[in-house]
Amino acid sequence: MKACSSRGVICTPHALASEAGMDQLDRGGSAIDAMLAASAMLSAVFPHMSGLGGDAFWLLHDPAQSSAPDQGVRTIVGVGQAGHQLPEGGRITLRGPASVASTAGALASWKLAHEISQTEWGSNRSWKDLLSGAAETAEQGVEPSISHLFWLGHRKPLIETLPDLDEICRDANGQWLTPGSRFFQRDLATTLRQLIASGIDDFYIGEIAHELATAFDDIGCGLTLADLKATRAFEAAPLSIRYREGRLFNTAPPSQGLYTLQAMGAVGQSELSGLGNGTAAYFHQLVEAIKPALIRRNRQLHDPAFRSSAAVRGWDYQHSLATAQLQAYAQAIDAEHAAPWPAIGQPADTVWMAATDEAGRTACLIQSLFHDFGSGCVLGDSGILWQNRAAGFNADAWHPNAWAPGKRPAHTLNPSCYLADDGSRLFFGTQGGDGQPQTQMVLASQLIDFSTPVEAAIAMPRFLLGRSFFDGGDNLKLEAGVGEATIEGLKALGHDVEVLPQHNLFMGQAGIISIASNGRKEAVHDLRGQINDNPLTSLGQAD
């Protein structure tokens, strides 16, 4: 189902979050306001994927600034940094207290985005306006979503070892959540109300910060109050490439958006549409373009602001998007044979959402706890489930992405947008670790190369190379909807293929906002993960 409007639209992975964001648009708020309210609501209704204890990237577009060098596109980096000491035991683990080893940057990004909304986008929405609905929902309780129940079932053995998760995985009687049951986050409601009363800075320097610091000490994760105080969000110039009749944008390192653009740049060196939509040749081209990009990512991606190592000082990542380099990537693709795939997947959980307001300004927000259920640690009485993003550091001390005090880890989060020469605009993104750039390639090629309508583009069968976030094998996974001829064709090219059911939640939950040159807006969110058979996107404002 699709939302259409000449005024404002929103898409998020949960109906209550979409309603919260749409309410801001209806009250004259900006697209940023809609994202802030929706993100806060997701902490109450979608806690396994997103929350106050995570990181975030924003991609903003203001068409009134289209003549600026970046065509009105700007990005916000809200990534927490490593503490100044390792957890007790001297190492970072995948889950549990020793994975709570980097601060959370999401709320710092909220503060910066809110300042832009207030000072540049003409908003007067207060934190009370934006957070009250989420606080009330967290206190009164909510039914678990299909996604919540899916990941609860998938992780039940792990959850049993992480008792902090009982509040969001069991009902008031201690029973596992099931369809129709309710879960409550009353401590989170109290924290949200504290943020309303004292402002977002309270998370980093106020009462909440001191409570978090006490919890850090209690669990021995190595973080301190000083680490919280040092957390900053900042604006960074977006990356972009010329693609067909427009420009494709993404976020700079430590985001993996660089490698999404490398792969799309390689694909863009030839006419993809000539291969036939959905054919083995089509999927082969996408897979073979992203494969070396992910290998480069695993070798290179790190925090470019961290300069302690001579080996990584002065990383010129922009060079990899030069035309000659993109042509070289394209020439390395063998149209007849699949290249070897030695990489190991990068797990992640994430939410992507976006809104466009009546002025045509768009805010895309991608926020994450890293793995589903993050670290599994809820800190003190804050109700805040902390991310395990520190597990994304490389264990090799000589790797560019090795842990170091104050360093940001390499990040899977990367939202995209496409500004066409004719004035039309596309904004899209997804959850899914390694699957993020792969799904974005399908969405971008469908929308741009094949002019596929948004509903059909979001439903298009996807591929996933590697194990990503669901602990599978390092093979090429395809949704069954690709068809037998495509599956057999890819096998003949040398791909190790595994077929998953069509519209599988393992393939992530994507979203698209499309804005035509006449200002008509369409929003659609993934049918992979519906609640009671109703789509998770609100219908937008009335025409």
Side-chain angles (χ1 to χ4, degrees):
M1 188 173 179
K2 177 174 62 179
C4 301
S5 177
S6 60
R7 296 170 63 192
V9 291
I10 185 170
C11 60
T12 83
H14 196 288
L16 291 179
S18 292
E19 290 174 11
M22 184 54 60
D23 181 63
Q24 297 304 314
L25 295 179
D26 287 338
R27 295 174 184 273
S30 71
I32 290 174
D33 297 329
M35 286 295 90
L36 290 168
S39 182
M41 184 61 74
L42 285 175
S43 70
V45 302
F46 220 62
H48 61 301
M49 289 286 175
S50 180
L52 309 187
D55 285 343
F57 282 84
W58 293 71
L59 188 152
L60 308 176
H61 180 247
D62 184 352
Q65 303 296 320
S66 59
S67 61
D70 287 320
Q71 297 179 237
V73 176
R74 57 206 291 192
T75 69
I76 296 173
V77 178
V79 176
Q81 79 283 357
H84 280 74
Q85 56 189 8
L86 283 166
E88 292 177 3
R91 67 185 185 94
I92 297 168
T93 59
L94 191 62
R95 306 272 192 172
S99 68
V100 181
S102 65
T103 64
L107 265 66
S109 80
W110 286 16
K111 180 186 175 185
L112 180 52
H114 187 247
E115 289 172 356
I116 293 171
S117 184
Q118 296 264 317
T119 62
E120 300 181 42
W121 287 19
S123 171
N124 62 1
R125 307 301 289 164
S126 68
W127 287 115
K128 181 178 181 180
D129 297 327
L130 300 172
L131 305 185
S132 292
E136 182 177 343
T137 301
E139 184 171 61
Q140 294 182 355
V142 68
E143 293 183 20
S145 66
I146 285 178
S147 174
H148 191 161
L149 293 173
F150 176 89
W151 288 104
L152 187 159
H154 186 66
R155 298 297 189 196
K156 190 173 287 187
L158 172 69
I159 292 168
E160 288 177 333
T161 71
L162 298 168
D164 286 3
L165 296 177
D166 283 352
E167 186 176 54
I168 62 171
C169 294
R170 299 178 187 271
D171 62 20
N173 297 317
Q175 301 301 307
W176 291 107
L177 294 176
T178 58
S181 59
R182 297 180 74 82
F183 68 98
F184 303 82
Q185 298 185 80
R186 296 186 175 94
D187 288 340
L188 177 64
T190 299
T191 294
L192 288 166
R193 291 193 174 103
Q194 175 66 18
L195 293 171
I196 291 169
S198 300
I200 296 299
D201 279 341
D202 199 80
F203 186 91
Y204 297 104
I205 60 175
E207 291 182 23
I208 296 172
H210 282 83
E211 181 176 356
L212 293 173
T214 298
F216 294 153
D217 287 342
D218 290 344
I219 65 176
C221 68
L223 293 179
T224 66
L225 182 62
D227 295 322
L228 277 178
K229 289 181 177 179
T231 305
R232 297 288 185 274
F234 58 92
E235 285 199 63
L239 301 180
S240 67
I241 59 169
R242 182 74 182 170
Y243 188 82
R244 311 306 181 200
E245 303 302 316
R247 198 148 195 92
L248 187 62
F249 290 82
N250 209 299
T251 46
S255 162
Q256 69 172 336
L258 173 68
Y259 304 95
T260 303
L261 291 179
Q262 288 179 8
M264 288 303 300
V267 168
Q269 301 307 306
S270 60
E271 289 300 322
L272 189 64
S273 58
L275 301 178
N277 197 1
T279 64
Y282 163 79
F283 280 107
H284 178 77
Q285 187 76 5
L286 299 187
V287 171
E288 293 305 297
I290 194 61
K291 187 181 291 182
L294 291 177
I295 293 171
R296 288 190 294 271
R297 181 205 64 184
N298 290 352
R299 185 176 67 247
Q300 301 169 340
L301 185 59
H302 65 280
D303 179 2
F306 197 81
R307 307 292 191 184
S308 69
S309 170
V312 300
R313 188 173 294 128
W315 179 31
D316 184 14
Y317 53 80
Q318 288 273 13
H319 173 72
S320 69
L321 300 180
T323 300
Q325 189 61 61
L326 297 178
Q327 291 172 343
Y329 294 151
Q331 291 166 2
I333 296 174
D334 186 338
E336 304 298 329
H337 301 92
W341 172 241
I344 296 175
Q346 300 292 307
D349 83 71
T350 305
V351 294
W352 178 94
M353 51 189 166
T356 301
D357 57 32
E358 191 168 2
R361 299 167 304 209
T362 300
C364 301
L365 171 58
I366 189 162
Q367 192 163 316
S368 175
L369 295 174
F370 196 27
H371 293 188
D372 48 284
F373 299 102
S375 66
C377 297
V378 177
L379 300 186
D381 295 325
S382 69
I384 298 173
L385 175 59
W386 211 259
Q387 65 183 359
N388 62 332
R389 181 61 65 174
F393 283 118
N394 195 289
D396 181 355
W398 295 101
H399 192 280
N401 188 42
W403 177 90
K407 186 176 183 180
R408 296 177 177 88
H411 242 277
T412 52
L413 303 186
N414 70 118
S416 281
C417 81
Y418 181 72
L419 305 184
D421 297 341
D422 65 3
S424 60
R425 290 160 271 162
L426 297 166
F427 302 87
F428 51 93
T430 184
Q431 69 166 136
D434 285 0
Q436 286 189 40
Q438 299 180 56
T439 292
Q440 286 190 35
M441 293 182 77
V442 172
L443 296 178
S445 61
Q446 290 301 306
L447 294 165
I448 301 167
D449 291 272
F450 294 97
S451 300
T452 306
V454 291
E455 287 177 290
I458 207 88
M460 178 72 183
R462 298 175 190 163
F463 71 94
L464 179 61
L465 178 67
R467 66 183 60 189
S468 194
F469 56 81
F470 63 94
D471 309 324
D474 281 316
N475 53 9
L476 176 63
K477 298 161 191 67
L478 296 164
E479 290 185 296
V482 300
E484 193 63 27
T486 295
I487 292 168
E488 293 305 315
L490 287 166
K491 289 180 178 178
L493 290 168
H495 294 278
D496 177 14
V497 174
E498 177 184 353
V499 181
L500 299 180
Q502 178 68 336
H503 298 155
N504 196 286
L505 262 174
F506 284 141
M507 290 293 183
Q509 287 182 261
I512 302 168
I513 286 181
S514 173
I515 306 173
S517 55
N518 65 3
R520 181 73 171 170
K521 306 170 183 73
E522 298 178 338
V524 61
H525 208 280
D526 226 323
L527 68 167
R528 296 163 179 83
Q530 296 177 343
I531 299 177
N532 300 327
D533 298 322
N534 292 321
L536 300 185
T537 178
S538 291
L539 291 179
Q541 294 179 332
D543 292 336

